[in-house]
Amino acid sequence: MSPIFVRLLRTLLIAIGALTLVSAIVNVIAAYSLIGALEEESLNVTRGEVIGWYVGPALLGVALIVLGILWGRRKKK
């Protein structure tokens, strides 16, 4: 592949991963601060469950960042 294409793809992977990770972190903070005892009863969902929903996107964001950093860093012989 073209080096420019690889560099662009790596940058996109890192950027999308960072956006996903930051979004998950912001949603966890919002869920923690906005969902109280009354809201838990009316929604039938606990604060911990809502926070747990964002573990997957956070892990996906970290995986994309790591993939973007490591891809193309192989040593050439």
Side-chain angles (χ1 to χ4, degrees):
M1 280 194 271
S2 168
I4 295 172
F5 180 71
V6 171
R7 185 174 295 158
L8 178 66
L9 192 58
R10 287 180 63 209
T11 304
L12 283 174
L13 280 174
I14 294 170
I16 291 171
L19 287 172
T20 305
L21 181 62
V22 169
S23 175
I25 291 170
V26 167
N27 285 325
V28 165
I29 293 169
Y32 183 76
S33 64
L34 295 176
I35 296 178
L38 294 176
E39 288 83 9
E40 286 180 357
E41 290 179 13
S42 66
L43 295 172
N44 292 327
V45 177
T46 65
R47 181 188 299 175
E49 289 176 358
V50 174
I51 290 172
W53 295 341
Y54 296 108
V55 171
L59 292 176
L60 177 65
V62 170
L64 287 173
I65 291 169
V66 169
L67 181 66
I69 290 171
L70 294 180
W71 188 14
R73 295 279 177 164
R74 289 180 251 146
K75 293 182 180 179
K76 297 180 182 179
K77 293 182 179 181

